[in-house]
Amino acid sequence: MQELSVGTINDPPSIPAQPSEMPYTGERLVTGVASENMMEHLHRYGLAIDLCDGKVVLDIASGEGYGSSLLSRRALRVYGVDISSEAVEHASKKYQAANLKFLQGRADAIPVADHEIDLAVSFETLEHHDLHDEMMRELRRVLQADGLLIISTPDKRYYSEEPTYKNEFHVKELYEAEFRDLLERHFPNVRVMHQRVLYASVIEPEACDCGIDLYKGDYGKISKIRGIEKAPYLVALASDGNLPPLNPSLFDGTAIHLDMQLKRDQDLRRREVEVFCKEAELSKIQKLLPLQIYRAIRNPIKKLLGRQVH
């Protein structure tokens, strides 16, 4: 399986000029924090990078700047636009490239000329304001006639309602039908896809034209592999007759993973309580026994507790 780099083609590369990080508030991703949300964003940027070769790209709500930086490795030129002056200042210092520029601006007032953009990227922007039609009109203004928009937003039903979760930074979330209707009011061709983080088992047929594209990486680089790599197990069909067709498939193990994680956390807390109790007993023994006897038994007891012996 050939690994295709999706972050190292265009010159000059982005250079981290300043190692400092923005404070993490929960409103936007920062590179010092790894999370499930990180996987979601990097996967989307992986798709966008594959679409940006030689193009002028707008990254609206560019935030910390890592996404614009990744796009600049393949794009002709990238504008990272964010409403926060702090984010723009930070990104301009941290990510520097001749074809990368960070600008302060709003989603409904984008500081880019008419029809300058080939590809517009908007990840997790809509839900932070309620000027949705105004934003779409601005995107149509800056996009070329055949320009492409790749955009994401949480589905209110599964993001908020079913888990009874409220994101304090969200102003107006959309249901899937509302999201589709918004896009179709402004663009003649729309395709809505679904994204979810899974902890899963993957089975991929050996010869399959619809093989899986696997994205992986971090805030500094995203790579794409056609199909799964280094699979430790083989699954086969065998027959004297025709074999039935099989599509690539996933087994969703999210519930199993979360259950295992819960049990690990409970076991860790139980062990912490046990260690705390034994340390309290050890401290009590220290006070009751003569110093010489305590010193004689201290190290063996520490070894039993798994503590470092000096």
Side-chain angles (χ1 to χ4, degrees):
M1 301 175 189
Q2 183 181 6
E3 180 170 321
L4 305 175
S5 171
V6 295
T8 57
I9 290 182
N10 205 51
D11 288 324
S14 296
I15 302 170
Q18 183 173 307
S20 62
E21 298 293 345
M22 293 185 67
Y24 180 69
T25 65
E27 183 176 8
R28 60 175 61 89
L29 288 185
V30 296
T31 56
V33 175
S35 65
E36 183 177 284
N37 199 228
M38 170 187 175
M39 289 189 286
E40 294 164 343
H41 277 257
L42 291 179
H43 193 172
R44 295 175 203 137
Y45 273 112
L47 295 180
I49 290 166
D50 275 346
L51 299 169
C52 78
D53 282 333
K55 295 182 178 179
V56 180
V57 178
L58 167 68
D59 185 12
I60 190 70
S62 53
E64 194 269 353
Y66 71 91
S68 301
S69 174
L70 289 167
L71 289 162
S72 72
R73 314 283 179 88
R74 292 263 291 265
L76 176 66
R77 186 162 63 256
V78 175
Y79 296 106
V81 175
D82 200 275
I83 194 172
S84 166
S85 58
E86 178 191 9
V88 171
E89 181 181 0
H90 169 85
S92 298
K93 291 179 180 178
K94 185 173 182 180
Y95 303 104
Q96 298 179 5
N99 65 337
L100 175 60
K101 188 173 184 179
F102 291 97
L103 303 168
Q104 185 175 5
R106 296 166 53 94
D108 62 320
I110 301 171
V112 175
D114 293 357
H115 312 304
E116 186 177 357
I117 303 300
D118 299 302
L119 173 67
V121 175
S122 172
F123 296 145
E124 307 304 289
T125 310
L126 276 175
E127 63 276 11
H128 289 272
H129 62 86
D130 58 2
L131 301 174
H132 295 171
D133 282 295
E134 291 86 343
M135 175 180 171
M136 291 300 114
R137 285 193 287 269
E138 269 296 89
L139 289 170
R140 286 304 306 262
R141 177 185 68 80
V142 302
L143 279 169
Q144 294 191 14
D146 59 347
L148 177 65
L149 168 66
I150 177 168
I151 183 170
S152 72
T153 194
D155 184 336
K156 184 174 181 178
R157 177 183 176 186
Y158 299 114
Y159 180 86
S160 297
E161 283 193 353
E162 288 201 1
T164 61
Y165 169 68
K166 179 174 176 57
N167 189 317
E168 62 179 302
F169 300 106
H170 289 185
V171 175
K172 184 179 180 181
E173 297 173 355
L174 300 176
Y175 295 102
E176 180 178 345
E178 294 175 321
F179 180 53
R180 187 186 301 274
D181 178 65
L182 172 68
L183 295 175
E184 289 178 346
R185 287 202 303 270
H186 296 273
F187 294 90
N189 302 308
V190 172
R191 180 190 306 153
V192 176
M193 300 172 284
H194 302 95
Q195 182 185 26
R196 179 187 171 195
V197 170
L198 297 175
Y199 297 90
S201 167
V202 183
I203 295 180
E204 180 189 45
E206 183 179 14
C208 179
D209 293 336
C210 55
I212 296 173
D213 286 334
L214 174 65
Y215 290 87
K216 64 179 183 178
D218 53 30
Y219 291 118
K221 176 184 175 183
I222 301 175
S223 297
K224 183 178 75 173
I225 297 169
R226 185 66 172 174
I228 59 175
E229 62 175 352
K230 300 180 181 178
Y233 294 100
L234 302 173
V235 180
L237 299 177
S239 172
D240 286 342
N242 295 328
L243 296 177
L246 286 181
N247 292 322
S249 60
L250 297 175
F251 176 88
D252 181 2
T254 307
I256 297 172
H257 172 82
L258 293 176
D259 184 58
M260 292 172 59
Q261 188 177 50
L262 177 62
K263 290 179 179 177
R264 284 196 299 268
D265 291 343
Q266 290 174 339
D267 185 58
L268 178 60
R269 285 194 292 270
R270 185 176 63 252
R271 293 187 181 186
E272 288 175 345
V273 171
E274 290 175 355
V275 169
F276 176 80
C277 292
K278 289 179 180 179
E279 286 182 337
E281 292 175 6
L282 182 60
S283 178
K284 187 183 296 184
I285 291 173
Q286 179 182 359
K287 295 176 181 178
L288 294 175
L289 291 179
L291 182 60
Q292 293 83 354
I293 299 177
Y294 168 74
R295 285 177 174 171
I297 66 173
R298 176 182 57 189
N299 287 346
I301 292 177
K302 283 191 172 184
K303 287 181 179 179
L304 288 175
L305 293 175
R307 301 294 301 277
Q308 185 176 0
V309 175
H310 297 286

